[in-house]
């Protein structure tokens, strides 16, 4: 094979075409590919960061939920304790009021009993005076005297 001028011309044209393509097509295309690769890498890094942030947020949410549940249990326990205290207070108050009512009723009964005894004493005194008057008015016969007192006493106690 001989190297002739046509062959040299073809090599020159081929090299010129490679240089023109490298400068006008391959260079910008490589730059675009590098930019796209960088954008894809940045997107993947952002996705990873997003996943990490999501995992952290889920952990924070789980911790906040756990804390909220614990706080809710504390609130419920405090409410139940306060309800028991209120119930106990109302029971004690009701017992105190009942004791006051019973004490008042006893005092009233004792006062009424005292009044009844006083009235009975007065009535017995009146009957004794009335019996004494009749005895004095009548003859001082012992048998009549006994019958008269028995009659007055039985009439007086029968009415009372």
């Amino acid at each position: 094979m001989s190297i002739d001028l046509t062959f040299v011309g073809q090599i020159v044209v081929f090299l010129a075409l490679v240089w023109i393509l490298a400068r006008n097509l391959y260079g910008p295309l490589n730059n675009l590919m590098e930019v796209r690769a960088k954008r894809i890498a940045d997107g993947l890094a952002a996705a990873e960061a997003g996943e990490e942030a999501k995992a952290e947020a889920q952990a924070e949410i789980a911790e906040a939920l756990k804390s909220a549940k614990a706080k809710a249990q504390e609130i419920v326990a405090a409410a139940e304790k306060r309800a028991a205290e209120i119930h106990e207070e109302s029971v004690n108050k009701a017992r105190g009021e009942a004791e006051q009512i019973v004490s008042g009723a006893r005092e009233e009964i004792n006062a009424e009993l005292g009044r009844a005894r006083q009235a009975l004493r007065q009535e017995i005194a009146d009957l004794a005076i009335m019996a004494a008057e009749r005895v004095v008015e009548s003859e001082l016969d012992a048998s009549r005297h006994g019958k008269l007192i028995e009659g007055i006493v039985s009439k007086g106690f029968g009415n009372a």
Side-chain angles (χ1 to χ4, degrees):
M1 240 204 28
S2 73
I3 297 182
D4 60 353
L5 193 58
T6 325
F7 181 66
V8 172
Q10 286 179 351
I11 289 178
V12 170
V13 169
F14 177 74
L15 290 176
L17 185 61
V18 168
W19 179 77
I20 291 173
L21 286 177
R23 184 169 174 228
N24 293 326
L25 182 64
Y26 297 136
L29 190 60
N30 280 338
N31 290 338
L32 287 176
M33 294 297 272
E34 286 176 12
V35 168
R36 183 171 176 176
K38 184 179 178 187
R39 202 178 304 155
I40 290 172
D42 290 344
L44 289 175
E48 281 184 28
E51 287 293 323
E52 290 175 7
K54 179 182 173 186
E56 289 176 10
Q58 286 177 342
E60 289 176 9
I61 289 170
E63 185 65 31
L65 185 60
K66 184 179 178 182
S67 174
K69 283 182 181 180
K71 196 175 228 182
Q73 288 177 347
E74 289 175 11
I75 290 170
V76 167
E80 287 175 350
K81 182 180 178 184
R82 181 63 183 141
E85 289 174 358
I86 290 171
H87 180 262
E88 187 66 28
E89 288 174 7
S90 64
V91 166
N92 290 338
K93 185 177 179 182
R95 283 184 183 152
E97 289 175 0
E99 288 175 6
Q100 287 178 351
I101 291 170
V102 168
S103 175
R106 284 184 181 150
E107 289 175 5
E108 190 175 322
I109 288 170
N110 288 336
E112 188 65 31
L113 184 60
R115 286 191 293 271
R117 285 181 180 163
Q118 185 63 30
L120 184 60
R121 284 185 193 130
Q122 185 64 38
E123 193 173 324
I124 289 174
D126 290 343
L127 285 174
I129 290 172
M130 189 170 73
E133 286 176 359
R134 288 199 181 167
V135 167
V136 170
E137 288 176 2
S138 68
E139 298 173 350
L140 292 176
D141 182 356
S143 65
R144 275 184 88 194
H145 180 259
K147 287 181 185 177
L148 184 62
I149 289 176
E150 285 180 20
I152 291 171
V153 170
S154 67
K155 282 184 184 177
F157 286 119
N159 292 337

